[in-house]
Amino acid sequence: MKKPAKNTICLWYDGDAEEAARFYAEVFPDSSVDAVHLAPGDYPSGKQGDVLTVEFTVMGIPCLGLNGGPEVKHNEAFSFQVATEDQAETDRYWNAIVGNGGQEIVCGWCRDKWGISWQITPVALTEAITDPDPAAAKRAFDAMMQMVKIDIAAIEAARRG
């Protein structure tokens, strides 16, 4: 067994941690399913031999999926923020999450079918809303506030005025 990371994000699932980890590994670069651990005995939401935990990596971030049962639900207080370089990359991640049973939210946020929130955030958006010109930043911010998935061309047009 390899030495665990000093800090790992633990995500609670209702029996489908392995499915989620495999999906993330297929969609995002520098992602993998690293280990699947079976329960050595019965537990409140499962039986001996069921998948209890899954060690996985999402874009270089070590995670542990815990099949803890239906009691705990995810919310936007935790999200993965993915910086994208262009509209094609933005669309690819957005469509993978939303098209696999996920849900659109607003302002570049979406939720996967397991309830994990994702911010699909183009670098162009971050640059626009932090523009040193406060008027340009506000125009870009106001444009973003009207969007669901981020449209880079529209953000850049708003930034320019």
Side-chain angles (χ1 to χ4, degrees):
M1 182 173 169
K2 72 177 191 176
K3 183 177 179 179
K6 196 71 160 170
N7 187 6
T8 301
I9 295 171
C10 182
L11 300 169
W12 186 290
Y13 294 90
D14 184 13
D16 43 16
E18 184 175 7
E19 178 189 358
R22 294 198 184 286
F23 172 75
Y24 305 147
E26 288 175 16
V27 171
F28 298 104
D30 195 21
S31 300
S32 59
V33 176
D34 305 316
V36 176
H37 302 285
L38 306 180
D42 293 350
Y43 59 106
S45 63
K47 302 286 183 209
Q48 180 178 353
D50 289 351
V51 173
L52 178 62
T53 60
V54 180
E55 295 176 39
F56 60 101
T57 303
V58 177
M59 299 183 86
I61 299 172
C63 299
L64 179 74
L66 170 66
N67 282 328
E71 296 81 21
V72 176
K73 303 294 182 207
H74 297 283
N75 64 49
E76 288 80 14
F78 171 87
S79 64
F80 284 103
Q81 185 178 48
V82 179
T84 57
E85 294 300 320
D86 55 30
Q87 194 67 51
E89 185 180 24
T90 301
D91 293 348
R92 183 172 59 252
Y93 294 149
W94 183 273
N95 294 339
I97 292 167
V98 172
N100 188 49
Q103 175 185 13
E104 296 179 334
I105 306 177
V106 295
C107 301
W109 290 63
C110 57
R111 184 177 301 118
D112 67 29
K113 74 178 188 177
W114 301 281
I116 302 292
S117 295
W118 296 80
Q119 298 177 60
I120 308 303
T121 309
V123 172
L125 171 64
T126 303
E127 291 171 349
I129 65 173
T130 60
D131 190 299
D133 175 355
K138 180 156 182 6
R139 287 190 304 270
F141 183 80
D142 289 347
M144 177 204 64
M145 293 299 292
Q146 303 302 312
M147 295 179 183
V148 178
K149 178 177 66 175
I150 301 302
D151 177 336
I152 295 172
I155 292 294
E156 290 173 340
R159 183 181 187 184
R160 288 188 303 270

